[in-house]
């Protein structure tokens, strides 16, 4: 990997993997749209310094690259790049301020170890002008002669009063995966191993152990003020295989001994038991999620020894799934859930009033969230957007009551009229009402259109109302797009999730196909111009839809799809999560019946496949297998491999190419002119 500062290579963890290869230039209809919608988000993250005088912005660079920019708000506020990553395969994944002038950044890469492609991460620290860059991760080894995969993570940014006597502050609490440490002559210096916590000064790199390493620990949660209050212990076999059960322990205030808090069991993708996410020091409680009437709700549990439990927020129709937190101490100020649209419940009275006023100030951007805050919380970084607006970042000065734009997320789409997204529901074959989102081309009649069903990935996921570049591209090209939250989606409770979208594939894919039938029955789609497009599990659903009903969709586009459940299981065989994946996929007749690569004889529509060859989520071998099986059966298939890219195909040129090829393929298959 190559991390570049001012044009000089300063850190190398692995060799860069080559580019995606020559991409044919897009010409003809759709080229402009493909370029505009294929461009990645220009701004990926914004962080404000504790004193509110500087902004750090992680932004897209050329191709798959990412760059860190810093803007000085007290002078020339022009953002200046200080750090870049190529994205092939190294990634700059996020940066935050540890002091008014110093940053902490996370980087990741891929390396091949013992024949397996593994992800590696490290944390580094540098000054706001890009100088004095140092690795913040402590030395870590997973065995006597190899580097550990994970370089730890920041779990607390300490204020000056919690910085261990460092007058300048800038210390952090970060996890460290201790392995067998080395000395000269390969003599083991320490046999302590497992996950621990250190206090690290981000300028001097002075380190102090806060929590001794424990081979059982998998997670630590602080109170936001420098004290570890909760530890998660994940059950594993003697061979290291994860068991899907995490036991949480807590400490009473001022006490170092551990007390039992809760046990969380993962039952095939559905969790049971109080799962803590945050600690409120002043209230002396832990906030977390647990089951309530078959759906996830927010609770808080007292950490004073009583374990008194209080239901904070629940819904009868959907899961409460997110905390709203603010400031460097990440204090909990609310929670959110998604019905037709995401709704936010603010507990803090002052912030509740602020949220209302911001809603009035940004009436055309109703999706508003607080991204970061200065130490005194008087300067806030906000994001605001909508279904027809990809969004922008803003700086809000609470003292001056001034709202200033920072940057737009997707400048190439500026000035375009985008398609509105309408929440709807349709009836499945068994009478169940399925929630979905319908996007119609701007200015269209909404009738007799070429149409696409676009099932989401996961299967443990759901679609939400807002801007989404993929359906918006197809709407710009004249297609109606329907995104169903089929049974097997998360967010609607355990009964809706069923046994997950693989074991309950007939129900999930049945709902997806009923989405296509709905488009035809309502006259939205012309019957001979109905297609299906999907990514990841959505790609699996696109392919498997034709196994269930070969005549429904006239064209199939599958991006990074699962194609064979036994192959998917095998991809995890040498990893510690194998038993969890094995249980999630299950055993039985559905393994063959629910694998599109094993049922290509039923697929009648032409198929277009895309896959990155560094995909760790779904191996590229699945698309290669699918293409081979289709060709062997004499079925029409086109397979496009992208070199040096992972599951998300996070490269503007590649996404542009993929959109252009998809549009051309669909227009040919559906006999659409233009």
């Amino acid at each position: 990997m190559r991390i570049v500062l001012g044009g000089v290579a300063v850190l190398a963890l692995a060799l860069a993997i080559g580019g995606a290869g020559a991409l044919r230039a897009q010409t003809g209809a759709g080229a402009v749209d493909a370029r505009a919608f294929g461009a990645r988000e220009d701004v990926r993250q914004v962080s404000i310094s504790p004193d509110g005088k500087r902004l750090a912005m992680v932004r897209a660079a050329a191709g798959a690259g990412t760059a860190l920019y810093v803007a000085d708000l007290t002078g020339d506020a022009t953002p200046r790049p200080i750090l870049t990553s190529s994205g092939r395969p190294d990634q700059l994944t996020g940066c935050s301020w540890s002091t008014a002038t110093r940053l902490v950044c996370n980087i990741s890469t891929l390396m091949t170890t013992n024949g397996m492609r593994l992800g590696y991460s490290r944390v580094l620290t540098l000054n706001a002008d890009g100088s004095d860059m140092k690795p913040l991760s402590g030395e870590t080894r997973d065995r006597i002669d190899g580097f550990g995969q994970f370089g730890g993570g920041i779990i607390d940014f300490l204020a000056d009063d919690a910085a261990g006597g460092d007058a300048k502050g800038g210390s952090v609490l970060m996890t460290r995966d201790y392995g067998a440490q080395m000395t000269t002559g390969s003599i083991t210096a320490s046999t302590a191993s497992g996950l621990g916590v250190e206090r690290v000064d981000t300028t001097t790199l002075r380190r102090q152990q806060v929590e001794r390493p424990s081979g059982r620990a998998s997670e630590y949660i602080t109170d936001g003020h420098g004290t570890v209050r909760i530890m998660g212990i994940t059950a594993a076999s003697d061979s290291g295989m994860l068991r899907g059960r995490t036991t949480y322990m807590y400490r009473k205030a001022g006490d170092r001994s551990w007390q039992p808090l809760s046990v969380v069991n993962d039952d095939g993708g559905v969790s049971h038991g109080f799962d803590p996410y945050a600690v409120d020091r002043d209230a002396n409680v832990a906030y977390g999620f647990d089951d309530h009437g078959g759906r996830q709700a927010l609770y808080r549990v007292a950490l004073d020894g009583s374990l008194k439990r209080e239901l904070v927020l629940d819904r009868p129709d959907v899961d409460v799934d997110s905390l709203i937190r603010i400031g460097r101490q990440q204090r909990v100020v609310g929670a959110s859930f998604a019905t037709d649209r995401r709704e936010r419940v603010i507990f803090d009275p002052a912030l509740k009033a602020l949220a209302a006023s911001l809603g009035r100030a940004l009436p055309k951007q109703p999706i508003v969230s607080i991204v970061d805050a200065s130490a005194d919380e008087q300067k806030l970084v906000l994001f605001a957007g909508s279904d027809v607006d990809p969004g922008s970042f803003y700086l809000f000065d609470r003292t001056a009551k001034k709202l200033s734009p920072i940057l737009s997320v997707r400048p190439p789409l500026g000035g375009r009229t985008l398609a509105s997204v309408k929440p709807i529901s349709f009836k499945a074959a068994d009478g169940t009402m399925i929630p979905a989102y319908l996007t119609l081309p701007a200015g269209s009649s909404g009738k007799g259109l070429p149409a696409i069903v676009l099932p989401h990935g996961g299967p443990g996921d759901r679609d939400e109302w807002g801007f989404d570049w993929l359906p918006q591209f197809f709407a710009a090209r004249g297609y109606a797009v329907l995104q169903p939250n089929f049974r097997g989606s998360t967010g609607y409770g355990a009964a809706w999730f069923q046994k997950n979208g693989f074991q309950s594939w007939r129900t999930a894919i049945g709902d997806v196909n009923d989405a296509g039938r709905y488009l035809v029955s309502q006259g939205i789609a012309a019957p001979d111009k109905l297609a299906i497009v999907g990514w990841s599990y959505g790609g699996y659903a696109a392919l498997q839809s034709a196994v269930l009903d070969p005549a429904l969709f006239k064209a199939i586009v599958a991006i990074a799809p699962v194609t064979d459940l036994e192959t998917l299981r095998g991809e995890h065989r040498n990893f510690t999560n194998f038993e969890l994946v094995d249980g999630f996929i299950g055993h039985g007749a559905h393994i063959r019946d629910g694998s599109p690569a094993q049922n290509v004889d039923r697929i009648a529509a032409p198929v277009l496949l895309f896959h990155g060859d560094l995909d760790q989520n779904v191996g590229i071998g699945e698309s290669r297998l699918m293409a081979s099986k289709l060709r062997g059966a004499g079925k029409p298939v086109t397979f496009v491999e992208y070199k040096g890219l992972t599951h998300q195909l996070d490269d503007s040129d590649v996404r542009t190419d993929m959109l252009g090829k998809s549009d051309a393929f669909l227009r040919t298959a559906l006999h659409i002119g233009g």
Side-chain angles (χ1 to χ4, degrees), residues 178-192:
Y178 290 80
Q181 302 302 305
M182 301 291 293
T183 60
T184 303
S186 296
I187 303 298
T188 302
S190 171
T191 59

Side-chain angles (χ1 to χ4, degrees), residues 437-599:
Y437 296 95
L438 177 63
T439 305
L440 297 176
S444 75
S445 65
K447 298 296 181 181
L449 300 170
I452 292 170
V453 173
L454 185 63
H456 62 70
D461 204 347
R462 61 155 290 172
D463 281 313
E464 293 190 29
W465 183 85
F467 175 85
D468 187 333
W469 63 277
L470 199 55
Q472 285 288 345
F473 166 75
F474 287 119
R477 298 299 302 141
Y479 302 88
V481 182
L482 185 60
Q483 298 169 270
N485 279 325
F486 47 86
R487 282 169 286 185
S489 303
T490 54
Y492 298 91
W496 193 265
F497 185 72
Q498 300 202 349
K499 291 183 179 180
N500 73 59
F502 290 129
Q503 295 195 45
S504 301
W505 74 266
R506 288 188 183 276
T507 301
I509 305 305
D511 291 349
V512 169
N513 284 359
D514 286 337
R517 296 184 186 102
Y518 168 82
L519 289 171
V520 174
S521 69
Q522 298 300 304
I524 297 170
D528 61 342
K529 291 180 170 51
L530 182 63
I532 185 166
V533 178
W535 199 318
S536 193
Y537 178 86
Y540 164 83
L543 294 166
Q544 191 66 7
S545 69
V547 175
L548 200 60
D549 185 347
L552 181 61
F553 296 108
K554 311 308 178 185
I556 300 167
V557 178
I559 308 161
V562 171
T563 69
D564 185 75
L565 297 183
E566 201 58 62
T567 299
L568 180 66
R569 189 199 319 275
E571 291 173 10
H572 295 266
R573 192 167 300 280
N574 294 320
F575 294 87
T576 58
N577 69 344
F578 173 73
E579 292 185 5
L580 301 181
V581 173
D582 181 60
F584 187 84
I585 294 172
H587 296 266
H590 73 278
I591 297 300
R592 189 190 187 286
D593 295 344
S595 295
Q598 302 303 324
N599 296 278

Side-chain angles (χ1 to χ4, degrees), residues 408 410-416:
S408 170
R410 290 181 178 268
L413 297 180
R416 280 179 171 260

Side-chain angles (χ1 to χ4, degrees), residues 25 40 63 149 171 179 238 250 326 348 355 366 426 487 591 629:
R40 298 176 301 149
Q149 279 186 260
S171 290
D238 292 341
Y250 81 100
I326 187 175
D348 182 283
F426 62 89
R487 282 169 286 185
I591 297 300
K629 291 274 192 176

Side-chain angles (χ1 to χ4, degrees), residues 362-380:
L362 299 165
K364 295 183 178 180
Q365 295 176 303
I367 301 174
V368 181
S369 58
I370 298 174
V371 175
D372 200 10
S374 58
D376 61 5
E377 297 183 12
Q378 293 306 298
K379 290 185 178 178
L380 307 176

Side-chain angles (χ1 to χ4, degrees), residues 30 44 68 123 153 175 202-203 234 342 363 413 452-453 531 590 595 614 621 649-650:
R44 323 203 103 187
L68 172 62
V123 183
T175 56
T202 60
T203 301
T234 299
R342 181 154 291 274
L413 297 180
I452 292 170
V453 173
H590 73 278
S595 295
L614 298 185
L649 300 181
D650 198 10

Side-chain angles (χ1 to χ4, degrees), residues 2 15 55 137 184 212 355 424 465 537 586 598:
R2 188 164 58 92
L15 295 175
L55 295 175
S137 298
T184 303
R212 291 177 57 82
I424 66 154
W465 183 85
Y537 178 86
Q598 302 303 324

